[in-house]
Amino acid sequence: MRGRNRASARRELDALLGAIDEAFDRKAWHGPNLRGAIRGLDAAAACRRPAPGRHSIRELVVHAAYWKYAVRRLLAGEKRGSFALAGSNWFPRPDRPSPSGWREDVALLDSEHRRLREVARGLEPGRLHVRPPGTRTTPAGLLRGIAFHDIYHAGQIQLLKRLVRSRK
């Protein structure tokens, strides 16, 4: 890759890293990011469901952690099966509040974000638009997607928090 293209690819990777950080835990103009949406939330509020059969905030947090793991795994070319919990996508969490369980789920989210960021930082910038074998999207698409995923669920959590407060 030529010098100018290499610099452009590096800037793009840096911008994508900035986007995943802003969507997760860096100050943003749009309001709360994912980590900000759960800051200060207690286990009781995190476990409440807006209606029977609907996901709690705690389940949304573990879902977000899972997809950070899934994107990291795809970027690194790893096989499935190493997520901290058995299953995929949605993980039932107890309705009964457990402060230690809630802290563990938030710690899982934080850990998976750090691990994703580490893998993303190590990507070859010139390969951001090259689909790895067995995937349907490029590394750039995966990184954009995980940032959008965090923001989407941050918005859901903000709404759920308001519902929880209105039902007290």
CSV table of all heavy atoms in Angstrom, one decimal, residues 22-67:
chain,number,residue,atom,x,y,z
A,22,GLU,N,-16.7,6.4,21.6
A,22,GLU,CA,-17.7,7.3,21.9
A,22,GLU,C,-19.1,6.7,22.1
A,22,GLU,O,-19.9,7.1,23.0
A,22,GLU,CB,-17.9,8.3,20.7
A,22,GLU,CG,-18.7,9.5,20.9
A,22,GLU,CD,-18.6,10.5,19.8
A,22,GLU,OE1,-17.5,10.8,19.3
A,22,GLU,OE2,-19.7,10.9,19.4
A,23,ALA,N,-19.4,5.6,21.4
A,23,ALA,CA,-20.6,4.9,21.6
A,23,ALA,C,-20.7,4.1,22.9
A,23,ALA,O,-21.7,3.9,23.5
A,23,ALA,CB,-20.8,3.9,20.4
A,24,PHE,N,-19.5,3.8,23.4
A,24,PHE,CA,-19.4,3.0,24.7
A,24,PHE,C,-19.2,3.9,25.9
A,24,PHE,O,-20.0,3.8,26.8
A,24,PHE,CB,-18.3,2.0,24.6
A,24,PHE,CG,-18.3,1.1,25.8
A,24,PHE,CD1,-19.3,0.2,26.1
A,24,PHE,CD2,-17.2,1.1,26.7
A,24,PHE,CE1,-19.3,-0.6,27.2
A,24,PHE,CE2,-17.2,0.3,27.8
A,24,PHE,CZ,-18.3,-0.5,28.1
A,25,ASP,N,-18.1,4.7,25.9
A,25,ASP,CA,-17.9,5.3,27.2
A,25,ASP,C,-17.2,6.7,27.1
A,25,ASP,O,-16.7,7.2,28.1
A,25,ASP,CB,-17.0,4.4,28.1
A,25,ASP,CG,-15.6,4.1,27.6
A,25,ASP,OD1,-15.3,4.5,26.5
A,25,ASP,OD2,-14.9,3.5,28.4
A,26,ARG,N,-17.1,7.3,25.9
A,26,ARG,CA,-16.5,8.6,25.8
A,26,ARG,C,-17.6,9.6,25.7
A,26,ARG,O,-18.6,9.4,25.1
A,26,ARG,CB,-15.6,8.7,24.6
A,26,ARG,CG,-14.3,7.8,24.7
A,26,ARG,CD,-13.4,8.2,25.8
A,26,ARG,NE,-12.1,7.5,25.8
A,26,ARG,CZ,-11.9,6.3,26.3
A,26,ARG,NH1,-12.8,5.6,26.9
A,26,ARG,NH2,-10.6,5.8,26.2
A,27,LYS,N,-17.3,10.8,26.1
A,27,LYS,CA,-18.2,11.9,26.0
A,27,LYS,C,-18.7,12.1,24.6
A,27,LYS,O,-17.8,12.1,23.7
A,27,LYS,CB,-17.6,13.2,26.6
A,27,LYS,CG,-18.5,14.4,26.7
A,27,LYS,CD,-17.9,15.5,27.4
A,27,LYS,CE,-18.8,16.7,27.3
A,27,LYS,NZ,-19.6,16.9,28.5
A,28,ALA,N,-20.0,12.3,24.4
A,28,ALA,CA,-20.5,12.5,23.1
A,28,ALA,C,-21.6,13.6,23.1
A,28,ALA,O,-22.3,13.8,24.1
A,28,ALA,CB,-21.1,11.2,22.6
A,29,TRP,N,-21.8,14.2,22.0
A,29,TRP,CA,-22.8,15.3,21.8
A,29,TRP,C,-24.2,14.8,21.9
A,29,TRP,O,-25.1,15.5,22.3
A,29,TRP,CB,-22.6,16.1,20.5
A,29,TRP,CG,-22.9,15.3,19.3
A,29,TRP,CD1,-22.1,14.6,18.5
A,29,TRP,CD2,-24.2,15.1,18.7
A,29,TRP,NE1,-22.7,14.0,17.5
A,29,TRP,CE2,-24.1,14.3,17.6
A,29,TRP,CE3,-25.5,15.6,19.0
A,29,TRP,CZ2,-25.1,13.9,16.8
A,29,TRP,CZ3,-26.5,15.3,18.2
A,29,TRP,CH2,-26.4,14.4,17.1
A,30,HIS,N,-24.4,13.5,21.6
A,30,HIS,CA,-25.7,13.0,21.4
A,30,HIS,C,-26.4,12.5,22.7
A,30,HIS,O,-27.5,12.1,22.7
A,30,HIS,CB,-25.7,11.8,20.4
A,30,HIS,CG,-24.8,10.7,20.8
A,30,HIS,ND1,-25.0,9.9,21.9
A,30,HIS,CD2,-23.6,10.4,20.2
A,30,HIS,CE1,-23.9,9.0,21.9
A,30,HIS,NE2,-23.1,9.3,21.0
A,31,GLY,N,-25.7,12.6,23.8
A,31,GLY,CA,-26.2,12.2,25.1
A,31,GLY,C,-25.6,11.0,25.6
A,31,GLY,O,-24.5,10.6,25.1
A,32,PRO,N,-26.2,10.2,26.4
A,32,PRO,CA,-25.6,9.1,27.0
A,32,PRO,C,-25.2,8.0,26.0
A,32,PRO,O,-25.9,7.7,25.1
A,32,PRO,CB,-26.6,8.5,28.0
A,32,PRO,CG,-27.5,9.7,28.3
A,32,PRO,CD,-27.5,10.5,27.0
A,33,ASN,N,-24.0,7.5,26.2
A,33,ASN,CA,-23.5,6.3,25.5
A,33,ASN,C,-24.0,5.1,26.3
A,33,ASN,O,-24.7,5.2,27.3
A,33,ASN,CB,-22.0,6.4,25.2
A,33,ASN,CG,-21.3,6.7,26.5
A,33,ASN,OD1,-21.6,6.1,27.6
A,33,ASN,ND2,-20.3,7.5,26.5
A,34,LEU,N,-23.5,3.9,25.9
A,34,LEU,CA,-24.0,2.7,26.5
A,34,LEU,C,-23.6,2.7,28.0
A,34,LEU,O,-24.4,2.4,28.9
A,34,LEU,CB,-23.5,1.4,25.8
A,34,LEU,CG,-24.0,0.1,26.4
A,34,LEU,CD1,-25.5,0.0,26.4
A,34,LEU,CD2,-23.4,-1.0,25.6
A,35,ARG,N,-22.3,2.9,28.3
A,35,ARG,CA,-21.8,2.9,29.7
A,35,ARG,C,-22.5,4.0,30.5
A,35,ARG,O,-22.8,3.8,31.6
A,35,ARG,CB,-20.3,3.0,29.7
A,35,ARG,CG,-19.7,2.6,30.9
A,35,ARG,CD,-19.9,1.1,31.2
A,35,ARG,NE,-19.3,0.6,32.4
A,35,ARG,CZ,-19.8,0.8,33.6
A,35,ARG,NH1,-20.9,1.5,33.8
A,35,ARG,NH2,-19.1,0.3,34.6
A,36,GLY,N,-22.7,5.2,29.9
A,36,GLY,CA,-23.4,6.3,30.6
A,36,GLY,C,-24.8,5.9,30.9
A,36,GLY,O,-25.3,6.4,31.9
A,37,ALA,N,-25.5,5.2,30.0
A,37,ALA,CA,-26.9,4.8,30.2
A,37,ALA,C,-27.1,4.0,31.5
A,37,ALA,O,-28.1,4.0,32.1
A,37,ALA,CB,-27.4,4.2,29.0
A,38,ILE,N,-26.1,3.2,31.8
A,38,ILE,CA,-26.2,2.3,33.0
A,38,ILE,C,-25.5,2.8,34.2
A,38,ILE,O,-25.6,2.2,35.3
A,38,ILE,CB,-25.7,0.8,32.7
A,38,ILE,CG1,-24.3,0.8,32.3
A,38,ILE,CG2,-26.6,0.2,31.6
A,38,ILE,CD1,-23.7,-0.6,32.2
A,39,ARG,N,-24.8,3.9,34.1
A,39,ARG,CA,-24.0,4.5,35.2
A,39,ARG,C,-25.0,4.8,36.4
A,39,ARG,O,-26.0,5.4,36.2
A,39,ARG,CB,-23.3,5.7,34.8
A,39,ARG,CG,-22.4,6.3,35.9
A,39,ARG,CD,-21.5,7.4,35.4
A,39,ARG,NE,-20.6,6.9,34.4
A,39,ARG,CZ,-20.6,7.3,33.1
A,39,ARG,NH1,-21.5,8.2,32.7
A,39,ARG,NH2,-19.7,6.8,32.3
A,40,GLY,N,-24.7,4.3,37.6
A,40,GLY,CA,-25.4,4.6,38.8
A,40,GLY,C,-26.7,3.7,38.9
A,40,GLY,O,-27.5,3.9,39.9
A,41,LEU,N,-27.0,2.9,38.0
A,41,LEU,CA,-28.2,2.1,38.0
A,41,LEU,C,-28.0,0.9,39.0
A,41,LEU,O,-27.0,0.3,39.1
A,41,LEU,CB,-28.4,1.5,36.6
A,41,LEU,CG,-29.8,1.0,36.2
A,41,LEU,CD1,-30.8,2.2,36.3
A,41,LEU,CD2,-29.8,0.4,34.8
A,42,ASP,N,-29.1,0.7,39.8
A,42,ASP,CA,-29.0,-0.3,40.8
A,42,ASP,C,-29.5,-1.6,40.3
A,42,ASP,O,-30.2,-1.7,39.2
A,42,ASP,CB,-29.6,0.0,42.1
A,42,ASP,CG,-31.1,0.2,42.1
A,42,ASP,OD1,-31.8,-0.3,41.1
A,42,ASP,OD2,-31.7,0.9,42.9
A,43,ALA,N,-29.3,-2.7,41.0
A,43,ALA,CA,-29.7,-4.1,40.5
A,43,ALA,C,-31.2,-4.2,40.4
A,43,ALA,O,-31.7,-4.8,39.4
A,43,ALA,CB,-29.1,-5.1,41.5
A,44,ALA,N,-31.9,-3.6,41.2
A,44,ALA,CA,-33.4,-3.7,41.2
A,44,ALA,C,-33.9,-3.0,39.9
A,44,ALA,O,-34.7,-3.6,39.2
A,44,ALA,CB,-34.0,-3.0,42.4
A,45,ALA,N,-33.4,-1.9,39.5
A,45,ALA,CA,-33.8,-1.2,38.3
A,45,ALA,C,-33.3,-2.0,37.1
A,45,ALA,O,-34.1,-2.1,36.1
A,45,ALA,CB,-33.3,0.2,38.2
A,46,ALA,N,-32.1,-2.5,37.2
A,46,ALA,CA,-31.6,-3.3,36.0
A,46,ALA,C,-32.4,-4.6,35.7
A,46,ALA,O,-32.4,-5.0,34.6
A,46,ALA,CB,-30.1,-3.6,36.3
A,47,CYS,N,-33.0,-5.1,36.8
A,47,CYS,CA,-33.7,-6.4,36.6
A,47,CYS,C,-35.2,-6.2,36.2
A,47,CYS,O,-35.8,-7.2,35.8
A,47,CYS,CB,-33.6,-7.2,37.9
A,47,CYS,SG,-31.9,-7.8,38.2
A,48,ARG,N,-35.7,-5.1,36.4
A,48,ARG,CA,-37.2,-4.9,36.1
A,48,ARG,C,-37.4,-5.0,34.6
A,48,ARG,O,-36.7,-4.5,33.8
A,48,ARG,CB,-37.6,-3.5,36.5
A,48,ARG,CG,-38.1,-3.5,37.9
A,48,ARG,CD,-38.9,-2.3,38.3
A,48,ARG,NE,-38.8,-2.1,39.7
A,48,ARG,CZ,-38.0,-1.2,40.3
A,48,ARG,NH1,-37.3,-0.4,39.6
A,48,ARG,NH2,-37.9,-1.2,41.6
A,49,ARG,N,-38.5,-5.7,34.3
A,49,ARG,CA,-38.9,-5.8,32.9
A,49,ARG,C,-40.1,-4.8,32.6
A,49,ARG,O,-40.9,-4.6,33.4
A,49,ARG,CB,-39.5,-7.2,32.7
A,49,ARG,CG,-38.4,-8.3,32.8
A,49,ARG,CD,-38.9,-9.7,32.6
A,49,ARG,NE,-37.9,-10.6,33.0
A,49,ARG,CZ,-36.8,-10.9,32.2
A,49,ARG,NH1,-36.7,-10.3,31.0
A,49,ARG,NH2,-35.9,-11.8,32.6
A,50,PRO,N,-40.1,-4.2,31.4
A,50,PRO,CA,-41.1,-3.3,31.1
A,50,PRO,C,-42.5,-4.0,31.0
A,50,PRO,O,-43.5,-3.4,31.1
A,50,PRO,CB,-40.7,-2.7,29.8
A,50,PRO,CG,-39.8,-3.7,29.2
A,50,PRO,CD,-39.1,-4.4,30.3
A,51,ALA,N,-42.5,-5.3,30.6
A,51,ALA,CA,-43.7,-6.1,30.5
A,51,ALA,C,-43.3,-7.5,30.5
A,51,ALA,O,-42.1,-7.8,30.3
A,51,ALA,CB,-44.4,-5.7,29.2
A,52,PRO,N,-44.2,-8.4,30.8
A,52,PRO,CA,-43.8,-9.9,30.8
A,52,PRO,C,-43.2,-10.3,29.4
A,52,PRO,O,-43.7,-9.8,28.4
A,52,PRO,CB,-45.1,-10.6,31.1
A,52,PRO,CG,-46.0,-9.6,31.8
A,52,PRO,CD,-45.6,-8.2,31.2
A,53,GLY,N,-42.2,-11.0,29.5
A,53,GLY,CA,-41.6,-11.5,28.2
A,53,GLY,C,-40.7,-10.5,27.5
A,53,GLY,O,-40.1,-10.8,26.5
A,54,ARG,N,-40.5,-9.3,28.1
A,54,ARG,CA,-39.6,-8.3,27.5
A,54,ARG,C,-38.3,-8.3,28.3
A,54,ARG,O,-38.2,-8.8,29.4
A,54,ARG,CB,-40.2,-6.9,27.6
A,54,ARG,CG,-41.5,-6.8,26.9
A,54,ARG,CD,-41.3,-6.9,25.4
A,54,ARG,NE,-42.5,-6.7,24.7
A,54,ARG,CZ,-42.6,-7.0,23.4
A,54,ARG,NH1,-41.5,-7.5,22.8
A,54,ARG,NH2,-43.7,-6.9,22.8
A,55,HIS,N,-37.2,-7.8,27.6
A,55,HIS,CA,-35.9,-7.8,28.2
A,55,HIS,C,-35.7,-6.8,29.2
A,55,HIS,O,-36.2,-5.6,29.0
A,55,HIS,CB,-34.8,-7.7,27.1
A,55,HIS,CG,-34.8,-8.8,26.1
A,55,HIS,ND1,-34.4,-10.1,26.5
A,55,HIS,CD2,-35.1,-8.9,24.8
A,55,HIS,CE1,-34.5,-10.9,25.4
A,55,HIS,NE2,-34.9,-10.2,24.4
A,56,SER,N,-35.0,-7.1,30.2
A,56,SER,CA,-34.6,-6.1,31.2
A,56,SER,C,-33.3,-5.4,30.8
A,56,SER,O,-32.6,-5.8,29.9
A,56,SER,CB,-34.3,-6.9,32.6
A,56,SER,OG,-33.1,-7.7,32.4
A,57,ILE,N,-33.0,-4.4,31.5
A,57,ILE,CA,-31.7,-3.7,31.2
A,57,ILE,C,-30.5,-4.6,31.4
A,57,ILE,O,-29.6,-4.6,30.6
A,57,ILE,CB,-31.6,-2.4,32.1
A,57,ILE,CG1,-32.6,-1.4,31.7
A,57,ILE,CG2,-30.2,-1.8,32.1
A,57,ILE,CD1,-32.8,-0.2,32.6
A,58,ARG,N,-30.6,-5.4,32.5
A,58,ARG,CA,-29.5,-6.4,32.7
A,58,ARG,C,-29.3,-7.3,31.5
A,58,ARG,O,-28.2,-7.6,31.1
A,58,ARG,CB,-29.8,-7.2,34.0
A,58,ARG,CG,-28.7,-8.0,34.4
A,58,ARG,CD,-28.9,-8.7,35.8
A,58,ARG,NE,-27.9,-9.6,36.1
A,58,ARG,CZ,-27.9,-10.4,37.1
A,58,ARG,NH1,-28.9,-10.5,37.9
A,58,ARG,NH2,-26.9,-11.3,37.3
A,59,GLU,N,-30.4,-7.8,30.9
A,59,GLU,CA,-30.3,-8.6,29.8
A,59,GLU,C,-29.7,-7.9,28.6
A,59,GLU,O,-28.9,-8.4,27.8
A,59,GLU,CB,-31.6,-9.3,29.4
A,59,GLU,CG,-32.0,-10.3,30.4
A,59,GLU,CD,-33.4,-10.8,30.3
A,59,GLU,OE1,-34.3,-10.1,29.7
A,59,GLU,OE2,-33.7,-12.0,30.7
A,60,LEU,N,-30.1,-6.6,28.4
A,60,LEU,CA,-29.5,-5.8,27.3
A,60,LEU,C,-28.0,-5.6,27.5
A,60,LEU,O,-27.3,-5.6,26.5
A,60,LEU,CB,-30.2,-4.4,27.3
A,60,LEU,CG,-31.6,-4.4,26.8
A,60,LEU,CD1,-32.3,-3.0,27.0
A,60,LEU,CD2,-31.7,-4.8,25.3
A,61,VAL,N,-27.6,-5.5,28.7
A,61,VAL,CA,-26.1,-5.3,29.0
A,61,VAL,C,-25.4,-6.6,28.6
A,61,VAL,O,-24.3,-6.5,28.0
A,61,VAL,CB,-25.9,-4.9,30.5
A,61,VAL,CG1,-24.5,-5.2,30.9
A,61,VAL,CG2,-26.3,-3.5,30.7
A,62,VAL,N,-25.9,-7.7,29.0
A,62,VAL,CA,-25.2,-9.0,28.6
A,62,VAL,C,-25.3,-9.2,27.1
A,62,VAL,O,-24.3,-9.7,26.5
A,62,VAL,CB,-25.8,-10.2,29.4
A,62,VAL,CG1,-25.1,-11.5,29.0
A,62,VAL,CG2,-25.5,-9.9,30.9
A,63,HIS,N,-26.4,-8.9,26.5
A,63,HIS,CA,-26.5,-9.0,25.0
A,63,HIS,C,-25.5,-8.1,24.3
A,63,HIS,O,-24.8,-8.5,23.4
A,63,HIS,CB,-28.0,-8.5,24.6
A,63,HIS,CG,-28.2,-8.3,23.2
A,63,HIS,ND1,-28.4,-9.3,22.3
A,63,HIS,CD2,-28.2,-7.1,22.5
A,63,HIS,CE1,-28.5,-8.7,21.1
A,63,HIS,NE2,-28.5,-7.4,21.2
A,64,ALA,N,-25.3,-6.9,24.8
A,64,ALA,CA,-24.3,-6.0,24.2
A,64,ALA,C,-22.9,-6.6,24.4
A,64,ALA,O,-22.0,-6.5,23.5
A,64,ALA,CB,-24.4,-4.6,24.9
A,65,ALA,N,-22.6,-7.2,25.6
A,65,ALA,CA,-21.3,-7.8,25.9
A,65,ALA,C,-21.1,-9.0,24.9
A,65,ALA,O,-20.0,-9.1,24.3
A,65,ALA,CB,-21.2,-8.3,27.3
A,66,TYR,N,-22.1,-9.7,24.6
A,66,TYR,CA,-22.0,-10.9,23.7
A,66,TYR,C,-21.6,-10.4,22.3
A,66,TYR,O,-20.8,-11.0,21.7
A,66,TYR,CB,-23.3,-11.7,23.7
A,66,TYR,CG,-23.3,-12.7,22.6
A,66,TYR,CD1,-22.6,-13.9,22.8
A,66,TYR,CD2,-23.8,-12.5,21.3
A,66,TYR,CE1,-22.4,-14.9,21.8
A,66,TYR,CE2,-23.7,-13.4,20.3
A,66,TYR,CZ,-23.0,-14.6,20.6
A,66,TYR,OH,-22.9,-15.6,19.6
A,67,TRP,N,-22.3,-9.3,21.8
A,67,TRP,CA,-22.0,-8.9,20.5
A,67,TRP,C,-20.6,-8.2,20.4
A,67,TRP,O,-20.0,-8.3,19.3
A,67,TRP,CB,-23.1,-8.0,19.9
A,67,TRP,CG,-24.2,-8.9,19.5
A,67,TRP,CD1,-25.4,-9.2,20.2
A,67,TRP,CD2,-24.2,-9.8,18.4
A,67,TRP,NE1,-26.1,-10.2,19.5
A,67,TRP,CE2,-25.4,-10.6,18.4
A,67,TRP,CE3,-23.3,-10.0,17.4
A,67,TRP,CZ2,-25.7,-11.5,17.5
A,67,TRP,CZ3,-23.6,-11.0,16.4
A,67,TRP,CH2,-24.8,-11.7,16.4
